[in-house]
Amino acid sequence: PKVLRTLEYILAVGNYINNPTRKVSGFKFSSLMKLIDVKSKAQAGVTLLHTIASIIEENEPELLTFVDDMDAIKDAESAINVSQAKYLAMKKSAHELKNEVSALAAPEDAKMKTFFEETLQSCNKLVSAHEAKTEKYQEIVLSFGESSTNDIAGFFLNWNKFVTSFRACVKFNLALAKKRKVEEKKKRQVLQRQHTKENLQILKNNLRQSGKDIPPSPRKPKGNVNFDGKKNPVSTLVDEILADNTGLLLGPSPEICLDNGVVSQVSSGLKTGDTFTRLRGKRIAAAAKRDSVKMKEKTVVTTVDDSTRRKLRHQQST
């Protein structure tokens, strides 16, 4: 049975602790109550019984379920006490009934005497059955190394305490193992983040080391100062963007500038430090100026055409 195999583990641990060279073949069941008194100094709340439960879990975890097979033992103590009380009461009643039967000697008491004798026989059978069952309990108690068999209820009380303590130890070990698993997971995550951070730092250092031989790109001085040393109305944010992107100061390619006057004007405005609002106003003014020039050219062409027509008519008339 699982419970006997569990007790063998307890015996082996006890032999190892007490004297590994001189092994004993058994122990008193009352000694099991001392397992929870041996406490660990390294881990709070851990006793020798916790350690034994851990050893059993590592080697034969199926034995841990023996506590589920002994749930009925928690009611054994009270049942035995009740049974013992009824036995004593019945034994007393049987003795009194025996005296009553002996006193019934008159002929008119023959029927009552017969009834009492049958009742006495039934009581004696119940008393004998109880005594036989008690003898078997006593044999069981002796097989577990107990010297006294008088307190059978106390024996089952100790059993109940042991089963309850063992079940609590198993639950404690499971919770402790779960807690350690979570802590190990957090520790691995911390180490992984630290490893990642170290790798990033190594990468940054390598990039800095590889960039020492590359000439730095020209940077525009920070602040609202243009290339002439004068203050620009451009915001500091735009200056910083242009300072970090000096290629924008060169403007678009010549092909784009020729095909797109807006791009050309925006590029020119960025160079002179104009804001986008001013660039828009300049673009509108330039467009209006171009329209005005085209209108004047058209007017001149129209005037020239009229003069030429009059001269041709005059020559034809002459």
Side-chain angles (χ1 to χ4, degrees):
K2 295 180 180 180
V3 61
L4 295 180
R5 183 62 178 160
T6 302
L7 295 178
E8 289 178 4
Y9 271 96
I10 296 175
L11 177 62
V13 173
N15 284 329
Y16 177 79
I17 294 176
N18 294 324
N19 192 349
T21 59
R22 183 177 175 273
K23 297 182 180 179
V24 297
S25 57
F27 58 88
K28 290 184 177 181
F29 187 77
S30 56
S31 301
L32 293 176
M33 301 300 102
K34 299 179 181 179
L35 295 176
I36 59 177
D37 296 331
V38 182
K39 299 181 180 180
S40 173
K41 295 182 180 180
Q43 179 71 40
V46 176
T47 64
L48 181 57
L49 188 58
H50 289 85
T51 305
I52 294 174
S54 298
I55 295 174
I56 296 175
E57 183 180 4
E58 293 176 0
N59 295 275
E60 297 182 63
E62 65 276 6
L63 298 181
L64 299 178
T65 59
F66 87 89
V67 293
D68 299 330
D69 301 333
M70 304 185 70
D71 285 336
I73 205 170
K74 60 186 177 182
D75 301 324
E77 179 198 3
S78 59
I80 289 175
N81 287 330
V82 172
S83 176
Q84 188 70 12
K86 290 183 177 180
Y87 161 75
L88 295 175
M90 185 174 292
K91 190 175 181 179
K92 181 180 179 181
S93 299
H95 180 71
E96 293 176 353
L97 185 60
K98 184 179 179 180
N99 295 331
E100 289 289 338
V101 170
S102 301
L104 296 174
E108 62 272 14
D109 297 332
K111 291 184 178 180
M112 184 62 67
K113 184 177 181 180
T114 303
F115 173 76
F116 283 170
E117 287 176 347
E118 293 176 354
T119 304
L120 181 60
Q121 289 178 0
S122 299
C123 289
N124 289 332
K125 287 181 180 179
L126 291 175
V127 170
S128 299
H130 181 83
E131 290 176 349
K133 188 68 66 175
T134 301
E135 290 179 359
K136 289 184 179 181
Y137 282 143
Q138 290 174 346
E139 292 176 0
I140 294 174
V141 173
L142 289 174
S143 66
F144 280 95
E146 297 300 309
S147 57
S148 176
T149 60
N150 296 327
D151 189 11
I152 299 176
F155 171 76
F156 286 101
L157 176 62
N158 289 336
W159 255 115
N160 186 36
K161 289 181 179 180
F162 171 71
V163 171
T164 303
S165 300
F166 193 88
R167 181 184 282 114
C169 290
V170 172
K171 291 182 179 180
F172 181 88
N173 289 342
L174 292 175
L176 186 62
K178 185 177 180 179
K179 181 180 178 181
R180 288 175 178 173
K181 187 176 181 180
V182 173
E183 291 176 352
E184 290 176 357
K185 184 178 179 180
K186 290 182 179 180
K187 187 176 180 180
R188 287 196 301 270
Q189 291 176 349
V190 171
L191 292 176
Q192 185 177 1
R193 287 195 296 267
Q194 185 177 358
H195 183 65
T196 303
K197 186 177 180 180
E198 291 176 355
N199 289 339
L200 289 175
Q201 188 62 38
I202 292 173
L203 178 60
K204 290 179 180 180
N205 294 336
N206 292 338
L207 291 175
R208 291 193 185 101
Q209 188 66 26
S210 61
K212 287 183 178 180
D213 299 332
I214 301 176
S217 58
R219 297 174 62 87
K220 183 176 179 289
K222 293 185 178 181
N224 299 332
V225 181
N226 60 14
F227 292 106
D228 298 331
K230 297 179 180 180
K231 291 285 184 177
N232 286 333
V234 188
S235 66
T236 305
L237 179 60
V238 175
D239 285 337
E240 292 180 356
I241 294 174
L242 294 177
D244 294 333
N245 301 272
T246 54
L248 292 175
L249 297 175
L250 301 178
S253 63
E255 293 78 6
I256 296 178
C257 290
L258 292 175
D259 295 338
N260 195 332
V262 175
V263 174
S264 177
Q265 188 173 4
V266 170
S267 176
S268 177
L270 288 174
K271 291 180 181 180
T272 57
D274 287 332
T275 61
F276 286 99
T277 303
R278 292 186 180 182
L279 290 176
R280 182 173 178 277
K282 287 184 178 182
R283 188 170 68 251
I284 295 174
K289 184 177 180 180
R290 286 196 300 272
D291 293 341
S292 176
V293 171
K294 288 181 180 180
M295 289 296 296
K296 288 182 180 180
E297 291 177 351
K298 186 176 180 181
T299 303
V300 171
V301 171
T302 304
T303 304
V304 171
D305 291 341
D306 293 341
S307 177
T308 303
R309 290 194 190 95
R310 284 196 298 271
K311 288 181 180 181
L312 290 175
R313 289 175 185 171
H314 179 70
Q315 290 178 358
Q316 289 178 358
S317 62
T318 54

